[in-house]
Amino acid sequence: MEALVCQPLDTIKVRMQLSKSGSAPGTKPRGFLATGMMICRRETPLALYKGLGAVLGGIVPKMATRFASFETYKRWLADPATGKTSVGSIFIAGLGAGTTEAVIVVTPMEVVKIRLQAQQHSLADPLEAPRYRNAGHAVYAIIREEGISALYRGVSLTALRQATNQGANFTAYQELKKWAHSLQPELTELPSYQHMLIGLISGAVGPFSNAPVDTIKTRLQKSEGPPGASAFERIRLIAHDLWRKEGARAFYKGITPRVLRVAPGQAIVFAVYERVKRIMENMAGSSEEKTYAE
């Protein structure tokens, strides 16, 4: 559901980050709505869903990895005497979860997604053939032409982005949930709409904290690596060109659609997660009671 609802916003964000508009003196960068309208006009509205196959193929293992690793790290960092986890430990668990999902799932998924989203061909013109036909073809072509390491281009920046995202996200979510419980001590469980609202707020925290990292990462993953250049050198060159040619504001290109995508996405994810977790805990409790009775 998150992918289907939020993919158009992600495509607009990627196009804004890759755009060189506003680099000429006296011009302004193309905005969020103008970018979306341009894509629809030139490539049809279906182009807003470019890269959806890569997202759908990766989002399930990404969420599984994120929540399983977070709960594991949180358990490891909990106080042995009380079983409670401090705010600092929750932040560290979030950092660990973000890094884990970045290395295992997110980086190759995003390389493929960005390559597909960057193709500015018209879906209405069958004669205008794209370089990559779909997610599977993109994976095959990238590995054949650039090697399997190309799928992990930008892994350090992706890990940094995901780590800071999830560190801020989980910390804000857990603290807001505690605050909501303190205001409603009579409730054993918060209703789903409150989980959604808390997830919406916590989901908006991450993008503002690491927008420059995400913009550099997008440009790095879109391009083919020059021979002999190290990952650090490519990152330095991209950051230098952004600063020199497009100015400091260029590092925040695409921040509007990114927040509009990430925040509602986290609202959906946390509400579903809490509901599924509650069902599984109830099932486990019923199973234990049945075993004890027998």
Side-chain angles (χ1 to χ4, degrees):
M1 282 304 300
E2 180 198 358
L4 292 172
V5 171
C6 303
Q7 181 66 11
L9 295 167
D10 188 68
T11 299
I12 294 171
K13 180 211 73 164
V14 167
R15 290 292 182 86
M16 289 177 72
Q17 290 177 329
L18 296 175
S19 171
K20 300 295 174 64
S21 66
S23 56
T27 61
K28 292 183 178 181
R30 190 178 295 111
F32 161 58
L33 291 176
T35 301
M37 290 173 65
M38 184 189 71
I39 294 171
C40 292
R41 187 172 62 250
R42 290 185 179 179
E43 305 168 53
T44 79
L46 283 176
L48 294 170
Y49 284 90
K50 285 180 177 180
L52 180 62
V55 175
L56 289 175
I59 199 165
V60 173
K62 179 178 84 168
M63 292 303 171
T65 302
R66 174 184 299 177
F67 283 100
S69 58
F70 172 74
E71 294 292 351
T72 301
Y73 299 144
K74 181 182 170 185
R75 188 170 63 251
W76 288 349
L77 294 167
D79 188 320
T82 63
K84 293 183 179 180
T85 312
S86 67
V87 176
S89 295
I90 288 172
F91 182 73
I92 294 170
L95 291 178
T99 303
T100 303
E101 71 176 9
V103 173
I104 294 176
V105 181
V106 177
T107 303
M109 180 188 79
E110 291 215 340
V111 170
V112 174
K113 174 182 72 70
I114 286 168
R115 294 290 183 93
L116 291 168
Q117 289 173 321
Q119 297 184 124
Q120 299 192 30
H121 68 288
S122 175
L123 297 177
D125 184 358
L127 298 178
E128 191 177 347
R131 182 178 181 186
Y132 307 116
R133 295 190 296 271
N134 50 49
H137 179 252
V139 171
Y140 172 75
I142 291 168
I143 293 175
R144 186 188 63 191
E145 296 169 10
E146 304 170 53
I148 197 167
S149 62
L151 291 174
Y152 284 88
R153 185 166 295 144
V155 65
S156 58
L157 290 177
T158 305
L160 178 61
R161 186 199 67 179
Q162 293 303 111
T164 51
N165 253 353
Q166 301 317 318
N169 190 12
F170 277 112
T171 304
Y173 182 78
Q174 297 284 340
E175 290 305 300
L176 286 170
K177 196 163 82 164
K178 287 179 187 174
W179 178 67
H181 271 297
S182 70
L183 295 178
Q184 307 162 99
E186 71 282 0
L187 296 179
T188 54
E189 291 288 344
L190 297 178
S192 291
Y193 81 89
Q194 291 189 19
H195 285 138
M196 288 192 75
L197 182 59
I198 294 169
L200 183 76
I201 297 169
S202 64
V205 175
F208 285 106
S209 66
N210 54 29
V213 171
D214 189 56
T215 300
I216 296 169
K217 176 201 71 67
T218 297
R219 295 207 176 187
L220 178 70
Q221 290 178 325
K222 186 260 180 182
S223 61
E224 297 182 12
S230 66
F232 177 78
E233 182 64 17
R234 292 200 297 271
I235 292 168
R236 190 190 68 79
L237 286 172
I238 290 170
H240 180 263
D241 283 349
L242 270 170
W243 179 269
R244 185 169 58 86
K245 296 178 181 178
E246 301 175 53
R249 289 181 61 183
F251 288 98
Y252 287 86
K253 280 185 173 182
I255 187 65
T256 301
R258 188 175 173 218
V259 171
L260 290 176
R261 177 184 66 84
V262 172
Q266 291 306 300
I268 295 168
V269 167
F270 275 114
V272 173
Y273 173 71
E274 294 284 1
R275 176 60 63 88
V276 172
K277 182 181 176 184
R278 193 182 314 157
I279 292 170
M280 293 180 71
E281 286 173 348
N282 290 338
M283 288 172 62
S286 299
S287 177
E288 287 175 6
E289 287 176 8
K290 184 179 179 182
T291 302
Y292 180 76
E294 290 174 351

